[in-house]
Amino acid sequence: MDIQYDLSAAELLKILGYTQPSGRAWLEELKREIGENHPLWGKQLWAAAKSDTGDRVLYLTEEGDYYIFHLTYSEHNQEGFPVCQRFPGIEEVKEA
């Protein structure tokens, strides 16, 4: 018999080791790190979750895409940093 679980996105993220960030600090940090030349600069973003075990923050765009950024906490990053990965939906985040 197959068991199906109906989890909300918040419950799923908690199982994956993420917590809900508070305030705008994570948005401001991302903005500081990516700079004006990044494709997400100027887009409406929400910090959806932060990893309990590292520097990963999950952001949601107004288009419904998810991005996991590995923040560096530096505004002078080398090319290719901060590292990010795009996911088209929460199910793909779960599989990552």
Side-chain angles (χ1 to χ4, degrees):
M1 171 168 62
D2 289 333
I3 298 174
Q4 292 185 348
Y5 296 97
D6 187 19
L7 298 175
S8 70
E11 291 169 324
L12 174 62
L13 291 170
K14 188 168 184 163
I15 289 169
L16 296 174
Y18 285 83
T19 56
Q20 180 72 41
S22 60
R24 294 192 47 82
W26 300 111
L27 287 172
E28 295 303 319
E29 181 61 30
L30 178 66
K31 196 173 176 182
R32 191 170 74 91
E33 290 192 29
I34 64 173
E36 295 177 10
N37 294 326
H38 194 279
L40 292 179
W41 180 266
K43 297 219 179 228
Q44 183 68 46
L45 299 168
W46 294 269
K50 182 188 181 315
S51 170
D52 290 336
T53 60
D55 58 0
R56 296 171 299 159
V57 180
L58 178 68
Y59 295 91
L60 174 64
T61 68
E62 60 190 332
E63 293 87 10
D65 293 325
Y66 290 87
Y67 288 83
I68 293 180
F69 276 86
H70 292 264
L71 299 177
T72 63
Y73 306 99
S74 172
E75 61 185 301
H76 302 290
N77 289 311
Q78 295 177 358
E79 186 68 31
F81 289 93
V83 174
C84 76
Q85 189 173 4
R86 180 189 165 275
F87 301 92
I90 194 66
E91 289 300 316
E92 289 80 9
V93 173
K94 179 178 80 170
E95 294 170 6

